[in-house]
Amino acid sequence: MPSSNLPPSSPLPSSPSRATDDLMDIVQQMTPSKPPDVLRRLRRNLQSIANDVQEDNSSLKRRITDLENQSASTARPRKQRRRGNRAAHADDSVPNPQTIEERTREKGRHFLVQEALFLVDPDVFTVDIDEDFDPRDEFSSDKNKIQGQLRQIMHYLPDDVKRLRTTELISGAFTDGMASQRSSTSNRLRGASLSKIVDNVKPFETSSGRFNAFAELIGYQPGTDTREPYYSKLDVPLLYDAWQGKKDLNSLFRNPIILKTYASVIRGPNGADGLFSGKLKRPVAKTVDKMYKIHCSVPGAIVNSTILSIWLHSADTQLVEIGDETGINYRERHTEMYADLT
């Protein structure tokens, strides 16, 4: 028999095919609709298999490391582009790039509050404007969705910035602003504002606590013999003012939680305090509604508040496009709800 390339003292690795089979078996079980405790157990099993494979192949990894160390001295360093360097790397023809970057970042924050929590497509800044676009067809195709949101973005950009909208300086600053506002909003809702929005904050302390208390409220449908569990898009009691066990378009988007969430976003941590008791106080601090001169609610803000209310009660730990525990696609939900509302 041919001799092994492994040193005599090294144990033979576990069968790759067996490890792969085990991994595939676990991955197939990890559907978004699984309860958080089941997903956590499956993740632990995945980590255990990964640890075993890592230990079995330690000698091979050491050899790879040696080779990497030998070639590191000749490797060409990669150029890093950091957020703070965008203005420094802007074209020489751009006047006051740092000022433009900060102004654009602020427009991204404003856009998130009033229009959408996420971009419909990462290339929305670089596509050409379709002069023949008809707003009535905005939701008929992905292309039209991009055109619709591009026009919203252009509405927020100052005139001197619009000509630069395809550059990394503008697209990066705008999305930075959105990300910053999204983070501060989610932290506020599950932090300082929570006691003003809900009566009992205890279930919100953990992911499993939120799932156990509110899964059905946000549309969770248990699995059956013929289907996997999932989160419904319209059979969601939280969406309605008076849930009667079925969809009711007359009370859609009218749940008090949605209104309290909106008040918390635009009026500060105590924005929902006294909202339905006639004791609403005008905040003294510089709040979002003052900064952006918000005097009425627009469709995007209503849908945003609805999505935020669902996320607030979900098992998801972060406000990202696709829920890390529920698998809910919040970006798609926003687009669909916006289409229904407009």
Side-chain angles (χ1 to χ4, degrees):
M1 294 179 63
S3 60
S4 170
N5 290 328
L6 293 174
S9 59
S10 299
L12 289 174
S14 301
S15 168
S17 60
R18 178 179 177 182
T20 301
D21 290 343
D22 291 342
L23 288 171
M24 289 299 297
D25 180 61
I26 294 176
V27 169
Q28 289 174 359
Q29 298 179 55
M30 295 183 70
T31 59
S33 54
K34 284 289 193 300
D37 57 334
V38 174
L39 288 173
R40 283 192 290 271
R41 175 174 56 78
L42 292 173
R43 289 195 188 99
R44 287 195 296 269
N45 292 343
L46 277 174
Q47 187 61 57
S48 176
I49 294 174
N51 291 340
D52 291 342
V53 172
Q54 183 178 24
E55 182 178 353
D56 289 339
N57 293 289
S58 60
S59 61
L60 295 177
K61 290 189 175 184
R62 284 196 298 271
R63 293 182 182 181
I64 293 173
T65 300
D66 290 340
L67 290 173
E68 289 176 341
N69 290 337
Q70 292 173 15
S71 62
S73 59
T74 59
R76 184 176 181 179
R78 296 177 62 185
K79 184 178 181 181
Q80 294 184 352
R81 297 297 299 273
R82 299 178 181 176
R83 188 178 81 174
N85 289 338
R86 289 199 190 100
H89 289 86
D91 190 271
D92 292 339
S93 63
V94 179
N96 301 317
Q98 290 183 336
T99 301
I100 287 179
E101 183 178 29
E102 184 49 46
R103 288 167 59 208
T104 304
R105 192 175 292 126
E106 187 61 33
K107 296 302 180 182
R109 297 187 186 101
H110 188 185
F111 178 85
L112 183 130
V113 171
Q114 290 282 82
E115 302 295 347
L117 295 172
F118 305 99
L119 296 177
V120 296
D121 190 280
D123 295 329
V124 66
F125 282 91
T126 58
V127 299
D128 294 331
I129 294 179
D130 183 358
E131 300 297 342
D132 297 325
F133 169 74
D134 187 340
R136 293 173 296 183
D137 298 327
E138 178 176 352
F139 302 102
S140 63
S141 67
D142 290 341
K143 177 182 176 181
N144 283 348
K145 291 174 186 176
I146 294 174
Q147 287 293 322
Q149 191 171 76
L150 175 57
R151 278 160 173 74
Q152 289 180 328
I153 292 172
M154 295 294 282
H155 174 74
Y156 282 81
L157 293 180
D159 289 339
D160 62 326
V161 175
K162 289 178 180 178
R163 67 180 182 85
L164 303 170
R165 58 107 178 165
T166 60
T167 65
E168 183 184 355
L169 174 67
I170 301 307
S171 62
F174 196 92
T175 53
D176 282 348
M178 290 183 65
S180 173
Q181 186 64 42
R182 189 165 54 243
S183 176
S184 63
T185 297
S186 61
N187 289 335
R188 173 185 295 177
L189 292 179
R190 282 191 177 161
S193 292
L194 186 59
S195 63
K196 308 298 182 181
I197 299 175
V198 301
D199 295 328
N200 180 16
V201 301
K202 186 68 176 178
F204 290 85
E205 293 179 354
T206 64
S207 175
S208 59
R210 293 190 297 273
F211 177 82
N212 293 332
F214 308 119
E216 292 185 6
L217 182 68
I218 62 172
Y220 180 72
Q221 306 294 318
T224 66
D225 293 338
T226 58
R227 75 172 188 217
E228 292 289 326
Y230 70 99
Y231 284 84
S232 174
K233 295 180 179 180
L234 283 177
D235 290 335
V236 183
L238 183 63
L239 296 182
Y240 306 93
D241 180 27
W243 175 248
Q244 302 294 332
K246 61 180 181 179
K247 298 183 289 290
D248 179 10
L249 297 182
N250 292 324
S251 65
L252 185 62
F253 304 124
R254 297 181 181 275
N255 191 297
I257 293 291
I258 297 175
L259 301 178
K260 288 182 178 181
T261 298
Y262 180 61
S264 299
V265 171
I266 68 170
R267 295 171 62 86
N270 297 321
D273 195 17
L275 185 62
F276 294 102
S277 63
K279 299 179 181 179
L280 189 64
K281 296 181 180 180
R282 184 71 178 173
V284 177
K286 186 178 181 181
T287 54
V288 168
D289 60 339
K290 293 180 181 179
M291 290 171 54
Y292 301 135
K293 297 180 174 59
I294 298 174
H295 303 297
C296 61
S297 57
V298 295
I302 295 172
V303 176
N304 273 356
S305 300
T306 304
I307 297 296
L308 288 170
S309 298
I310 293 174
W311 172 82
L312 176 64
H313 290 78
S314 77
D316 296 323
T317 59
Q318 299 181 60
L319 180 56
V320 292
E321 287 193 20
I322 299 178
D324 57 329
E325 294 288 350
T326 64
I328 294 175
N329 191 320
Y330 293 109
R331 177 179 57 79
E332 288 186 357
R333 287 283 182 97
H334 185 284
T335 301
E336 293 164 356
M337 289 181 182
Y338 192 94
D340 291 337
L341 192 60
T342 57

